[in-house]
Amino acid sequence: MKSNLSKILLLTAVFILSIAAVSFSGCLGNEDSDHIHDEHCGHDHGDPNAAYDPLNNTTLAEIENGSKILVAVSVVPQTEFVEKVGGDKVIAISMIPQGAGHNYDPSPRQLEDLSKADLYMALGSGEPFEDKYLDTFKELNSKMPVGNSSTNLLLIQNGNSNDPHIWTSPKSSVIMVENTYKSLSSIDPANESYYRQNADAYIKELEELDAELTAELADLKTRDFMVYHPAWGYFARDYNLTQIAVEVDGKEPSPKDITKYIDLAKANNISVIFVQEQVSVTGATAIAEGFGGEVYVIDPLAKNYVENMRKVGQILAEEMS
């Protein structure tokens, strides 16, 4: 026990130093750098006060005695995918907690919990958080397999990088759930049929959601919608929509940008700008005021995935019809 604690403390210290190094080199370095994620350095999209809810003693005991499998993920919606497939055999923790954004730095307590994880389900889609920290997570827990949620998924290219927000697509989520099933079955083959049954039931629910959204978003007066942070590219691809992002290189739009987006909104019959919780809405509000529209909150990171996607579809249909 003492040896394990010493290892955690040592790797935590290394981890903190690596965060500082990444921040300095990636965000404060040469302006001519080709770092493909520089747009995420000057601006985050989450609540700076968001906090991780640590595992309690009862849960830790279940993990340590082997009665529960601990699965770590990167974003909150993935916890639902894991829980739906794993049922009562798993505990899921998100390394980016509810309300936090791409630039969140995991706490020492999170690293302590992560050191006990039996599996990490990575997004594998170019999420900046994973690019920065996943290698360190593997060092901290060298026995932890890492599954890839993006296997067999066609990623959207944005310049030199991928759009990481794969979970905002019900179609992509079916693939993510299938990959979660495969990873869970690989570490717990004795319960493969249990995971298969659970995955099939949840996939059916996701496919029904997809059919609902396809019908709901089929006949709209405009197929363009304006957002603050471009989190909805995969959703837009699913339903033949186009997202217009107000955020420019991870920063608030300039006065010139605001004028451009006001004109764009008027030309495309856009009546609302969608923002996610916990982000600055100053630029979005200025644009909405310019074309006589409203700012509306939709959350790409809510845990109740099917319910949340259904709500998003309803809002988009009401505002775009």
Side-chain angles (χ1 to χ4, degrees), residues 176-197:
M176 294 176 72
V177 168
E178 186 67 22
N179 289 327
T180 300
Y181 150 74
K182 290 177 180 177
S183 291
L184 272 175
S185 297
S186 71
I187 66 168
D188 185 22
N191 289 302
E192 184 276 336
S193 61
Y194 175 78
Y195 299 139
R196 181 72 269 169
Q197 183 179 5

Side-chain angles (χ1 to χ4, degrees), residues 148-167:
N148 185 351
S149 295
S150 294
T151 300
N152 297 322
L153 198 159
L154 180 61
L155 298 177
I156 295 173
Q157 295 288 314
N158 285 336
N160 293 325
S161 60
N162 296 321
D163 181 344
H165 306 91
I166 54 174
W167 66 91

Side-chain angles (χ1 to χ4, degrees), residues 7-17 107-108 111-112 140:
K7 179 182 178 183
I8 291 169
L9 291 173
L10 175 61
L11 285 172
T12 298
V14 172
F15 180 81
I16 292 170
L17 288 172
S107 68
L111 299 181
E112 184 179 348
L140 176 64

Side-chain angles (χ1 to χ4, degrees), residues 43-82:
H43 184 80
D44 200 9
H45 314 291
D47 180 0
N49 298 314
Y52 170 71
D53 186 15
L55 298 173
N56 59 42
N57 289 336
T58 300
T59 301
L60 286 170
E62 291 176 322
I63 293 164
E64 288 172 357
N65 67 26
S67 62
K68 298 282 188 181
I69 293 172
L70 179 60
V71 182
V73 299
S74 293
V75 295
V76 171
Q78 288 179 280
T79 62
E80 176 161 316
F81 302 163
V82 170

Side-chain angles (χ1 to χ4, degrees), residues 170-171 205-216 239:
K171 285 183 173 67
E205 192 176 351
L206 291 170
E207 289 174 342
E208 289 172 352
L209 169 67
D210 177 43
E212 288 177 28
L213 292 170
T214 298
E216 193 168 39
Y239 306 111

Side-chain angles (χ1 to χ4, degrees), residues 3-124:
S3 174
N4 287 341
L5 179 60
S6 298
K7 179 182 178 183
I8 291 169
L9 291 173
L10 175 61
L11 285 172
T12 298
V14 172
F15 180 81
I16 292 170
L17 288 172
S18 72
I19 290 173
V22 168
S23 298
F24 185 80
S25 64
C27 300
L28 301 179
N30 190 328
E31 291 182 358
D32 295 327
S33 170
D34 290 329
H35 191 331
I36 64 173
H37 290 305
D38 282 348
E39 69 268 23
H40 298 287
C41 294
H43 184 80
D44 200 9
H45 314 291
D47 180 0
N49 298 314
Y52 170 71
D53 186 15
L55 298 173
N56 59 42
N57 289 336
T58 300
T59 301
L60 286 170
E62 291 176 322
I63 293 164
E64 288 172 357
N65 67 26
S67 62
K68 298 282 188 181
I69 293 172
L70 179 60
V71 182
V73 299
S74 293
V75 295
V76 171
Q78 288 179 280
T79 62
E80 176 161 316
F81 302 163
V82 170
E83 290 165 356
K84 287 289 187 178
V85 176
D88 60 8
K89 301 187 185 304
V90 304
I91 300 293
I93 56 172
S94 177
M95 296 306 289
I96 303 177
Q98 186 71 52
H102 295 293
N103 290 347
Y104 176 79
D105 294 332
S107 68
R109 179 54 199 270
Q110 275 181 281
L111 299 181
E112 184 179 348
D113 286 350
L114 179 72
S115 72
K116 301 174 178 65
D118 302 290
L119 172 68
Y120 195 105
M121 279 309 300
L123 289 169

